């Protein structure tokens, strides 16, 4: 704070009522209450939290965010966030370079939902009334977004690995009314990666936009060479898309909310143009607010992202990329142990394919869908009692290795799910596994008893 205060040292001093001893004491008392209330949470920051996509912000991001809030800039216009707007431009440029783009239009948003909304809004401006397609395992917000935008939307079937089915996609494209195909670069439930090279090949024949929802998986572009071939080829082809969304508040080590939308063709900025003299009268340069549907945007989010990327550049082989690789290795190892355990005593039902990114899913038990679902819920609860926090997800039984083709096996099954997105998960995997096996063994013993 001292260095920041120096920048404004020429201003006359003033007394703030917030500096009074009584106010400071009152704030301390309130913060004590806040700390008590915030303790009523899962330990999202700890390696034993391996459930949802929750990753602690890097300390430099937290510090930079807090420092920026002393100014509280608004990146809607240059005169509302002069320094933070420039830092946003620089931070977004580094993200664009990660995807192989030097020429682009892009900015930060409040999160992936709004970033996807902007991308599909531009798609609707380019082709009014035409359909948007996304696969069954794509994020549910695409259907909501297109409803808000009053654009027709259709769901494309996925295969048993959770990827978009290319035959089903081509059936939809043959109807001739599709403007945009949303390819998911890491589904929320499974971490599955849509076959982007094949989608791009169909684009050559049918002429549609390709939008990449890489909110969760986008940063894996940095370790594409360490992924299995289908995912590797998909991430290597990301530069050929028309628009990309990525969430720095997922793998990018940022506080919520921080999303990013990028367009390969900068000319789509024409759809954003508007007149707003009460916010744009002090600068002749392009404002970030002129290429965003959002108005007020937290400049502190841009400052935190800029600081994190300055400390941990988005480079192949760098420290940031190494953290992603650690999570990927942890997922592969957990999956290996699940398959080994299934072979030994049948207590788990592994997914049909290997983890593509850092998400692992598996069935619990070896009974009917109803029995396995109940067992998953029980193991989830027993793991939580041991301070291991997993997640639950409902998936078709056909996605699992034990699928036998019978009708009941294709029913939705509640499964266990783990997102190993913290680099520390790799070192903590033995302790995670011990608790999982302990909880599973206890539950099986009770069931047999």
């Amino acid at each position: 704070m001292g260095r920041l205060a120096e920048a404004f040292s020429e201003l006359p001093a003033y007394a703030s009522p917030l500096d009074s001893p009584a106010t400071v004491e009152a704030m301390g008392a309130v913060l004590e209450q806040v700390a008590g209330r915030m303790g009523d949470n899962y330990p999202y920051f700890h390696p034993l939290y391996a459930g949802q996509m929750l990753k602690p912000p890097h300390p430099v991001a937290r510090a930079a965010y807090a420092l920026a809030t002393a100014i509280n800039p608004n990146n809607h216009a240059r005169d509302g966030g002069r320094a933070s707007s420039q830092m946003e431009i620089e931070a977004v440029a580094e993200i664009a370079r990660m995807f192989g783009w030097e020429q682009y239009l892009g900015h930060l948003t409040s999160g992936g939902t709004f970033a996807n909304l902007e991308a599909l809004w531009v798609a609707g401006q380019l082709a009014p009334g035409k359909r948007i397609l996304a696969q069954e395992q794509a994020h549910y917000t695409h259907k909501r977004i297109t409803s808000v935008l009053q654009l027709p939307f259709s769901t494309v079937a996925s295969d048993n690995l959770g990827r978009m089915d290319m035959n089903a996609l081509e059936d939809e494209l043959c109807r001739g009314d599709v403007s945009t195909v949303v390819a998911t670069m890491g589904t929320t439930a499974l971490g599955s990666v849509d076959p982007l090279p094949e989608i791009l090949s169909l684009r050559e024949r049918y002429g549609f936009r390709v939008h990449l929802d890489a909110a969760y998986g986008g940063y894996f572009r940095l370790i594409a060479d360490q992924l299995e071939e289908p995912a590797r080829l998909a991430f290597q082809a990301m530069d050929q898309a028309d628009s990309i969304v990525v969430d720095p508040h997922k793998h990018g080590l940022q506080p919520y909310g921080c999303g990013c939308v990028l367009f390969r063709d900068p000319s789509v900025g024409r759809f954003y143009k508007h007149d707003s003299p009460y916010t744009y009268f002090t600068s002749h340069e392009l404002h970030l607010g002129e290429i965003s549907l959002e108005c007020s945007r937290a400049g502190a989010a841009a400052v935190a992202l800029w600081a994190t990327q300055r400390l941990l550049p988005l480079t192949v082989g760098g420290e940031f990329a190494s953290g992603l690789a650690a999570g990927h290795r942890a997922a592969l190892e957990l999956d290996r142990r699940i398959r080994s355990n299934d072979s030994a005593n049948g207590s788990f039902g592994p997914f049909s394919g290997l983890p593509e990114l850092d998400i692992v899913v598996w069935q619990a038990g070896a009974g009917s869908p109803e029995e396995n679902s109940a067992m998953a819920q029980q193991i989830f609860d027993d793991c939580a009692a041991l301070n291991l926090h997993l997640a639950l997800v409902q998936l078709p039984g056909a996605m699992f290795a034990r699928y036998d083709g019978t009708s009941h096996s294709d029913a939705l099954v509640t499964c266990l799910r783990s997102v190993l997105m913290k680099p520390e998960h790799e070192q903590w995997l033995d302790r995670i596994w011990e608790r999982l096996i302990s909880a599973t063994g206890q539950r099986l013993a009770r069931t047999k008893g």
Side-chain angles (χ1 to χ4, degrees), residues 79 163 386:
D79 48 313
R163 303 167 183 160
L386 297 173

Side-chain angles (χ1 to χ4, degrees), residues 110-125:
S110 57
T113 300
F114 209 96
N116 277 307
L117 185 145
E118 293 208 23
L120 297 183
W121 173 74
V122 166
Q125 295 294 305

